[in-house]
Amino acid sequence: SISTKSNKVYFGSDFCGEVIAKGDAVITLSVGDFVIPNHQYPEYGMTTNIASLGVLFTDESKLVKIPNGIPTHIAAGFSCPYQTAAALLRKSNSIKNPGFSLITAARSSTTLAIVQLHQYYNIPYALIMRDSVEIENVILNGIENIICADPYSNDFTAILEDKLSGTKVTHVFDNFPDLYCSLLMPHLSDSGYYLFCGFLDQGTKFQHPFSSIDSVNELYSRMILGNIHLIGSCLGSCSDLK
């Protein structure tokens, strides 16, 4: 047992664990199965935030058995980024009707999952990086279409216009809409999709607050006149994960 007065910190929402015991009502899992969390939302939400604690007691609906052949070190970090990414692509309709996507936040695990799904479904895209510090690591992940442009700089719009010349952007997948929305919305074609699943300013301990929206009314006007689909998405369904 863990004392509530303990100074120890336990963290982690994703994991790959082995079922060591089950209740009589459990029918979808067996002792010895390796499982990952199902962060289905809105019905359930996060399975746990203390996956490193040790033994976890949870309902079977919060777990999914991993197929044979998936290494545990890959499965351990799978649920959150890929369940979220699959939900975003589902809601964007880009699998059935692919266009061209702009994707932000190159260092985010969710972003890398979104990129990999674009690669899997052969959907054209460009990944926006704020700087070139980690560009070699990104290239090693098989990502080639990269736009290095700092949203804090005055030449951000000019760089995008140059790189996207002649390209019809149909989708934007953005982890940081409070940073990018007003900058990218003008590049999104009519009837396009702008999807987001987070914010840059989630806590000043980790991020630098930023607001680039000069006029909310201008942003709304662009969305109305362009029939823009603005879609917020949190996590995903069990079907997205599977």
Side-chain angles (χ1 to χ4, degrees):
S1 64
I2 302 299
S3 169
T4 56
K5 297 180 181 180
S6 172
N7 291 325
K8 295 181 179 179
V9 177
Y10 303 94
F11 62 92
S13 53
D14 278 358
F15 60 85
C16 182
E18 182 181 1
V19 177
I20 59 173
K22 70 169 189 170
D24 294 337
V26 176
I27 58 175
T28 62
L29 299 172
S30 302
V31 172
D33 286 346
F34 281 90
V35 295
I36 56 176
N38 168 29
H39 302 306
Q40 179 160 309
Y41 182 86
E43 289 85 355
Y44 307 113
M46 301 296 289
T47 301
T48 180
N49 281 321
I50 51 173
S52 59
L53 180 62
V55 176
L56 174 68
F57 296 87
T58 188
D59 190 88
E60 66 178 312
S61 64
K62 297 299 299 167
L63 301 170
V64 171
K65 180 181 178 181
I66 64 170
N68 295 330
I70 296 182
T72 55
H73 72 278
I74 291 178
F78 190 88
S79 294
C80 251
Y82 285 92
Q83 194 164 13
T84 302
L88 286 167
L89 261 74
R90 169 173 56 82
K91 294 176 182 181
S92 73
N93 203 33
S94 57
I95 296 176
K96 294 182 179 179
N97 295 298
F100 185 93
S101 300
L102 283 180
I103 306 172
T104 70
R107 286 179 285 189
S108 161
S109 58
T110 300
T111 291
L112 295 178
I114 293 171
V115 169
Q116 288 186 336
L117 288 177
H118 273 72
Q119 293 171 332
Y120 179 81
Y121 289 108
N122 294 315
I123 303 171
Y125 69 92
L127 176 64
I128 298 176
M129 295 188 67
R130 289 169 59 179
D131 55 59
S132 59
V133 173
E134 296 189 22
I135 193 168
E136 291 185 4
N137 290 330
V138 173
I139 292 174
L140 287 175
N141 278 307
I143 302 172
E144 297 179 351
N145 195 0
I146 302 168
I147 299 175
C148 285
D150 185 358
Y152 292 94
S153 69
N154 294 326
D155 59 356
F156 180 85
T157 297
I159 292 175
L160 252 64
E161 289 177 351
D162 177 60
K163 297 293 185 181
L164 297 174
S165 177
T167 301
K168 180 181 179 181
V169 178
T170 57
H171 297 80
V172 172
F173 294 86
D174 184 13
N175 278 354
F176 302 145
D178 48 339
L179 173 60
Y180 285 103
C181 189
S182 62
L183 298 171
L184 298 183
M185 192 67 74
H187 299 278
L188 185 61
S189 62
D190 290 352
S191 300
Y193 289 74
Y194 199 110
L195 301 103
F196 63 100
C197 59
F199 291 99
L200 175 69
D201 187 16
Q202 296 188 51
T204 55
K205 184 176 180 181
F206 304 103
Q207 304 286 359
H208 298 291
F210 179 85
S211 177
S212 63
I213 300 178
D214 297 323
S215 171
V216 174
N217 287 339
E218 289 182 10
L219 199 58
Y220 289 161
S221 295
R222 168 67 190 123
M223 292 168 57
I224 294 170
L225 296 175
N227 286 320
I228 301 298
H229 304 264
L230 184 65
I231 301 176
S233 185
C234 183
L235 299 169
S237 69
C238 186
S239 296
D240 291 322
L241 178 61
K242 290 181 178 180

